């Protein structure tokens, strides 16, 4: 039942006693970063290696398949961001329907046997295992039996009462509030994917766009127009990005992410384009005709150009 998880842990083990934290860490927001950096500090002070255990897919996707699961970051980006906090390693455990039946005790025994767990660092609301049976008190009792220590830390809040969470990030994205998202993440929110052929409406009206293909499991900002930074092989470029259904054209093509890179006119089809979202300029609108749309796009471009010229547009992720 747990052999896949056992193998995944064994493969990622660092070969020496390790301080570990556990979670999904979707988005790797400031709250996550606080925990992960604390693991590094605690490991250093106790002469241990430091690591995180993350799950994929999200447990909710397995336990509640009736609910849509949208990720703030791809798994690849999540692992990269986790490692940037200074950890020695990260292990990805496949959360399957079989794994969901694992008791907390069985899982921490696996961690001791396969991952050299010596110190477990968790948040005050943490729970692990079947029916969330592994709360901090239970895990501490198991630690006395199995030879690891448990450290419980306070979670970061963005005010006196609200815990910084991936749910809060998703809600802000749903509102199109990419400014708040940046504050919660500690960096600009970004999407990246291959540039694909679209309807080429933008080119036909003088504003060529790169159509970025994003998986339907990603959380994206609300429909609208955003000042953005496009990251090309040659470096970052100011851009303006539209997310929406192109209501003026009414072409029935579905939701698209179209990035107009300012003062740039080269073929980048097939490349992976990363777009950082800086500020929402306006919501999605249906215009009376193409001329009105072109006029507004020009204004959006000029607004984005002016906004981005006033700040550093170097990479943040």
């Amino acid at each position: 039942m747990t052999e896949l998880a056992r193998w995944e842990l064994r493969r990622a083990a660092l070969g020496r006693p390790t301080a570990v934290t556990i979670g999904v860490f979707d988005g790797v927001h400031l709250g996550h970063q606080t925990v992960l950096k604390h693991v590094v500090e605690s490991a250093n002070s106790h002469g241990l290696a430091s690591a995180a255990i993350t799950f994929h897919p999200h447990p909710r996707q397995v336990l509640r398949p009736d609910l849509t699961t949208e990720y703030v970051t791809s798994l690849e980006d999540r692992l990269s961001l986790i490692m940037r906090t200074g950890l020695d390693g990260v292990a990805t455990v496949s959360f399957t329907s079989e794994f969901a039946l694992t008791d907390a005790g069985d899982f921490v025994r696996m961690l001791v046997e396969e991952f050299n767990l010596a110190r477990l660092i968790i948040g005050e609301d943490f729970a692990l295992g079947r029916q969330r049976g592994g709360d901090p008190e239970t895990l501490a009792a198991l630690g006395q039996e199995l030879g690891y220590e448990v450290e419980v830390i306070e979670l970061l809040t963005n005010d006196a009462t609200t815990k910084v969470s991936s749910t809060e990030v998703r809600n802000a994205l749903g509102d199109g509030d990419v400014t708040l998202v940046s504050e919660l993440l500690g960096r600009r929110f970004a999407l990246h994917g291959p540039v694909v052929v679209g309807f080429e409406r933008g080119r036909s009206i003088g504003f060529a766009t790169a159509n970025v293909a994003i998986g339907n499991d990603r959380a994206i900002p609300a429909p609208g127009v955003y000042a953005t930074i496009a990251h090309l092989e040659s470096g970052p470029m100011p851009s303006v990005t539209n997310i929406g259904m192109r209501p003026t054209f009414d072409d029935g093509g579905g939701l698209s992410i179209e990035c107009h890179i300012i003062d740039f006119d080269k073929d980048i089809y097939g490349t992976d384009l990363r777009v950082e979202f800086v500020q929402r300029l306006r919501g999605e609108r249906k215009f009376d005709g193409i001329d009105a749309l072109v006029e507004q796009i020009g204004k959006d471009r000029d607004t984005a150009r002016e906004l981005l010229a006033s700040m550093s547009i170097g990479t943040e992720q």
Side-chain angles (χ1 to χ4, degrees):
M1 181 181 299
T2 57
E3 287 309 304
L4 174 59
R6 185 178 292 278
W7 176 80
E8 290 168 330
L9 291 170
R10 185 183 306 142
R11 180 182 61 173
L14 299 171
R16 61 193 179 102
T18 304
V20 175
T21 190
I22 304 171
V24 178
F25 303 114
D26 180 32
V28 196
H29 53 62
L30 284 176
H32 294 145
Q33 293 169 43
T34 297
V35 174
L36 295 167
K37 290 175 181 177
H38 185 86
V39 173
V40 174
E41 295 169 359
S42 183
N44 289 340
S45 65
H46 289 84
L48 304 171
S50 58
I53 309 293
T54 187
F55 300 111
H56 193 78
H58 196 294
R60 182 176 58 246
Q61 191 171 341
V62 175
L63 299 174
R64 290 294 308 274
D66 55 310
L67 299 179
T68 300
T69 300
E70 296 180 335
Y71 295 94
V72 177
T73 50
S74 66
L75 176 60
E76 178 184 16
D77 288 343
R78 187 199 318 172
L79 297 178
S80 175
L81 289 164
I82 288 173
M83 288 301 295
R84 287 188 197 181
T85 62
L87 292 171
D88 296 313
V90 57
T92 304
V93 171
S94 299
F95 197 97
T96 64
S97 54
E98 292 82 7
F99 181 77
L101 300 174
T102 305
D103 287 325
D106 291 337
F107 185 61
V108 292
R109 284 186 178 86
M110 246 194 294
L111 287 177
V112 171
E113 294 168 1
E114 306 296 347
F115 207 73
N116 291 312
L117 172 65
R119 190 171 187 84
L120 180 60
I121 298 167
I122 54 178
E124 53 202 340
D125 64 348
F126 182 83
L128 174 73
R130 184 171 58 182
Q131 298 181 339
R132 296 177 59 82
D135 58 22
E137 292 77 14
T138 300
L139 293 171
L142 285 165
Q144 292 181 347
E145 172 190 342
L146 300 173
Y148 66 84
E149 295 182 347
V150 172
E151 182 179 357
V152 181
I153 63 173
E154 291 186 7
L155 299 174
L156 183 69
T157 60
N158 67 345
D159 55 36
T161 59
T162 305
K163 182 184 72 173
V164 177
S165 68
S166 300
T167 297
E168 190 178 9
V169 175
R170 293 188 196 97
N171 289 342
L173 284 172
D175 293 335
D177 191 349
V178 294
T179 303
L180 175 57
V181 171
S182 295
E183 293 173 2
L184 296 171
L185 295 179
R187 64 182 187 279
R188 299 183 190 110
F189 174 77
L191 294 169
H192 70 88
V195 177
V196 298
V197 177
F199 285 87
E200 299 189 341
R201 300 283 196 186
R203 185 173 298 277
S204 69
I205 60 175
F207 291 94
T209 60
N211 291 268
V212 185
I214 302 296
N216 59 11
D217 64 344
R218 289 296 308 277
I220 62 174
V225 178
Y226 298 84
T228 54
I229 300 169
H231 288 268
L232 308 170
E233 290 185 359
S234 57
M237 291 285 292
S239 59
V240 59
T241 298
N242 180 80
I243 297 178
M245 308 290 288
R246 302 171 302 279
T248 303
F249 294 109
D250 195 24
D251 52 32
L255 187 75
S256 66
I257 299 172
E258 300 175 274
C259 178
H260 170 66
I261 305 172
I262 298 172
D263 300 328
F264 180 84
D265 189 25
K266 294 182 180 179
D267 183 356
I268 56 172
Y269 285 125
T271 63
D272 185 85
L273 181 64
R274 185 161 66 89
V275 180
E276 288 183 0
F277 289 76
V278 177
Q279 184 174 308
R280 193 179 198 218
L281 302 181
R282 62 176 175 87
E284 186 175 42
R285 290 170 51 192
K286 182 173 183 177
F287 293 86
D288 293 336
I290 301 302
D291 290 343
L293 172 62
V294 170
E295 180 181 1
Q296 183 60 56
I297 292 176
K299 291 178 180 178
D300 294 336
R301 176 201 56 198
D302 294 342
T303 301
R305 190 204 306 269
E306 182 178 355
L307 173 68
L308 297 169
S310 67
M311 62 176 64
S312 169
I313 62 171
T315 182
E316 287 200 353
Q317 183 171 336

